[in-house]
Amino acid sequence: MAEKQPRPSSEDESQVGIDKDPAYAADGKTVLIPQPTTDPHDPLNWPAWRKNVILLIICIITFLSDYGATVGIPAVLPQAQEWRLSVPVVQHSLVGMLFTLGAGGVFIVALAAYLGRLPVLFAFQVISLASGIWCAVATSFKSFMAARIINGFFATLAQAGGLMWIQDLFFFHEHPRIINIWVCSSIAAPYIGPMVSSLVIWRSTWRWGFWVFAMINGISLILTLLFADETFYNRRVLQEERARPHSRIARFVGIEQRKSGHMNTATRAISRPVTAFLKVPVVCITVYFFLSFAWIIGVNATVGVWLEQFYGFGPRESGIFYVSGIIGTIIGLFIGHFIHDGVGKLYAKRHEGRIEPEARLIPVYIGQVMMIVALIVMGFALERRWHYMTISVFYAVQIVGIIIGFGGVSAYLLDAYPEGSGEIGAWTVFGRLTGGFMAVYIQLNWVLKSGPAKVLGSEAGIVFAAGLIVLFLQFASGIRIAQGPMEFATA
């Protein structure tokens, strides 16, 4: 008997260009949603290796956004000495970059809706590479800060738009697993960045941390030129009316996409992020990210300063400490994979094969508890100068918690609004990074004024409040259903 799976709430039941008999996954039981067309150019019909290579490219670019931001954290101290500025002043370059990382996503999804995925993927990587090199060669703080702000706007490409490619390339039942992989590429970056930068500073200069960033960016650009292609496929267009792909070069610059007549007009492309933000679940999850993710970024951006001040750590010791963040990411990837898949299958078994979007929120509570406990313990550990391994362990626990929470709420929104994958990704990144912008701006002075235990305890209370937002959405499916899907001209 075929396993019944829910059709995304916005999917057009009169989907065109598909066989009357439903197509199934390799297990012969799972109905594929959306149903693939008979068109070999449909990205859902592409071979697995091609999909996975594009996923790899998206994960590398996603990794680079936070890696590029945090690679500058250990560089703050030598930069302050080189440019004769205070540490809080030099840290403003990170604050500025975090703001543009968050703000850039809305522009990315609008441009992708108008020009297509491929030209945006290509152009933003080129500018990200150029601005990354600028960071490495900057000779003054003003020049460096300008480079960081510009880099943030363009480096946020796949972090903000990653869900677009996941929705384009993978079927509904694959989303939680793929999202978990994509999430880990984002979560690992803030810990690998400071680790690499600290070890580089130990042996060389802070500039080489940014040269490494530029080199990885160059690799992703080469992979894009070799393997990437346009993944947007308007499923509302009849097969006989669909333009056939002709020139890959023309697709790289957006000419072929615009000539097809199947893309959004400028007005519709600009209005899409606004339409998405009018949905109550999107607003709620954006606020959730602002309240929960802020302290992940805040702790990560300032833990190096605390370790130096409280434990006398140097660049080498700080670099080794960040390994705990990488370990937390690996554990989170492993646990998240089984939790999200397991909860989905158990829910489907108990609900006649159906999985409602709200089912994806169930694992989030586990993540919230882990983050709350981690913040409280780290606060007391820093306040009372407990052994630094205590901080290391619960630093990793906080990361495992956010991976579980991040994957759950992302899968919830993608199941609820598959037609708005790019837009919901942009708004969640906006919530995450504006929260991080706020946290980095206040965290260091707040801790110095009130003490780590009080500050991180307050942050744990805020994370608890964020969990109440998830609880509200868990029992507010009626609001989501009443508002309906995002009505876009293309799907």
Side-chain angles (χ1 to χ4, degrees):
M1 181 177 177
E3 180 183 342
K4 297 179 181 178
Q5 299 220 21
R7 184 176 294 276
S9 60
S10 63
E11 186 172 343
D12 187 352
E13 296 292 343
S14 61
Q15 191 182 142
V16 295
I18 63 173
D19 296 325
K20 292 182 179 180
D21 295 327
Y24 293 88
D27 62 6
K29 299 179 179 179
T30 305
V31 177
L32 296 178
I33 300 173
Q35 284 281 286
T37 67
T38 55
D39 184 0
H41 301 293
D42 182 349
L44 291 175
N45 291 328
W46 289 354
W49 71 263
R50 190 178 184 188
K51 294 182 180 183
N52 290 331
V53 169
I54 295 176
L55 176 63
L56 173 64
I57 294 169
I58 297 307
C59 286
I60 292 174
I61 302 169
T62 301
F63 169 86
L64 283 169
S65 59
D66 280 345
Y67 176 90
T70 57
V71 78
I73 292 172
V76 167
L77 296 174
Q79 286 174 336
Q81 294 173 355
E82 179 177 337
W83 291 321
R84 298 180 181 179
L85 298 168
S86 68
V87 170
V89 169
V90 176
Q91 203 172 40
H92 287 169
S93 66
L94 173 59
V95 175
M97 184 175 183
L98 286 174
F99 179 78
T100 52
L101 277 170
V106 176
F107 295 92
I108 287 167
V109 297
L111 285 170
Y114 180 72
L115 292 172
R117 318 293 199 224
L118 187 61
V120 174
L121 183 69
F122 172 65
F124 272 61
Q125 281 190 87
V126 170
I127 301 174
S128 177
L129 173 60
S131 55
I133 294 172
W134 181 5
C135 289
V137 301
T139 56
S140 69
F141 177 67
K142 289 183 178 179
S143 175
F144 177 76
M145 186 165 182
R148 294 275 275 169
I149 290 171
I150 293 171
N151 183 256
F153 185 87
F154 291 95
T156 195
L157 168 65
Q159 187 179 59
L163 289 177
M164 291 190 299
W165 283 279
I166 292 173
Q167 176 67 17
D168 290 347
L169 292 167
F170 298 97
F171 293 102
F172 172 77
H173 71 282
E174 299 174 306
H175 288 170
R177 176 176 57 86
I178 300 300
I179 289 172
N180 198 50
I181 295 170
W182 170 66
V183 164
C184 285
S185 70
S186 176
I187 300 297
Y191 309 101
I192 296 177
M195 181 190 72
V196 171
S197 183
S198 295
L199 296 176
V200 165
I201 291 170
W202 176 45
R203 288 296 189 184
S204 184
T205 71
W206 62 265
R207 297 180 185 277
W208 268 103
F210 289 95
W211 280 119
V212 172
F213 167 77
M215 286 187 280
I216 299 173
N217 212 320
I219 291 170
S220 71
L221 182 58
I222 291 169
L223 289 173
T224 299
L225 291 169
L226 291 175
F227 299 108
D229 209 332
E230 181 58 55
T231 61
F232 176 75
Y233 190 89
N234 191 342
R235 300 187 179 280
R236 295 178 182 171
V237 177
L238 295 171
Q239 291 294 334
E240 56 269 23
E241 297 176 359
R242 189 176 298 280
R244 299 291 91 187
H246 293 292
S247 169
R248 191 160 175 264
I249 294 175
R251 293 195 294 279
F252 261 101
V253 294
I255 294 174
E256 190 167 297
Q257 291 91 322
R258 292 305 306 165
K259 283 185 176 180
S260 71
H262 304 326
M263 304 302 296
N264 290 271
T265 64
T267 302
R268 286 174 176 170
I270 293 170
S271 68
R272 285 175 67 105
V274 178
T275 300
F277 197 68
L278 294 177
K279 301 298 182 182
V280 170
V282 176
V283 175
C284 287
I285 295 301
T286 301
V287 175
Y288 165 82
F289 272 114
F290 180 89
L291 297 177
S292 288
F293 217 96
W295 316 118
I296 297 287
I297 297 174
V299 169
N300 191 48
T302 53
V303 70
V305 178
W306 298 341
L307 290 172
E308 182 190 12
Q309 292 182 351
F310 299 158
Y311 296 93
F313 275 32
R316 183 182 66 173
E317 292 80 10
S318 294
I320 295 171
F321 177 87
Y322 282 108
V323 172
S324 62
I326 300 170
I327 293 172
T329 303
I330 294 171
I331 294 172
L333 174 63
F334 180 79
I335 294 176
H337 171 77
F338 288 101
I339 286 180
H340 292 300
D341 273 5
V343 168
K345 290 177 181 178
L346 182 61
Y347 186 94
K349 185 177 181 180
R350 293 184 175 182
H351 293 81
E352 300 180 348
R354 298 186 63 83
I355 304 175
E356 299 299 332
E358 286 71 24
R360 306 297 190 190
L361 296 173
I362 296 171
V364 177
Y365 304 113
I366 300 172
Q368 293 301 108
V369 171
M370 296 178 78
M371 286 188 282
I372 290 168
V373 172
L375 284 167
I376 292 172
V377 174
M378 283 192 291
F380 279 108
L382 288 164
E383 183 87 20
R384 300 178 181 181
R385 305 296 190 272
W386 293 349
H387 197 280
Y388 62 82
M389 282 304 299
T390 306
I391 303 169
S392 178
V393 168
F394 284 91
Y395 185 64
V397 170
Q398 186 190 26
I399 296 162
V400 175
I402 196 62
I403 288 175
I404 294 171
F406 191 165
V409 295
S410 296
Y412 161 73
L413 283 180
L414 191 57
D415 284 5
Y417 304 108
E419 71 281 8
S421 56
E423 290 72 23
I424 60 179
W427 284 119
T428 56
V429 167
F430 179 80
R432 287 169 52 199
L433 296 176
T434 50
F437 166 82
M438 174 272 297
V440 172
Y441 196 78
I442 68 172
Q443 181 104 332
L444 192 57
N445 291 330
W446 190 14
V447 168
L448 293 174
K449 181 180 179 181
S450 303
K454 184 177 291 186
V455 171
L456 271 69
S458 300
E459 293 170 0
I462 295 171
V463 172
F464 175 81
L468 297 179
I469 295 174
V470 177
L471 184 63
F472 164 74
L473 291 174
Q474 189 86 62
F475 297 99
S477 60
I479 296 176
R480 172 181 61 80
I481 294 169
Q483 282 195 300
M486 299 175 189
E487 298 293 344
F488 296 142
T490 58

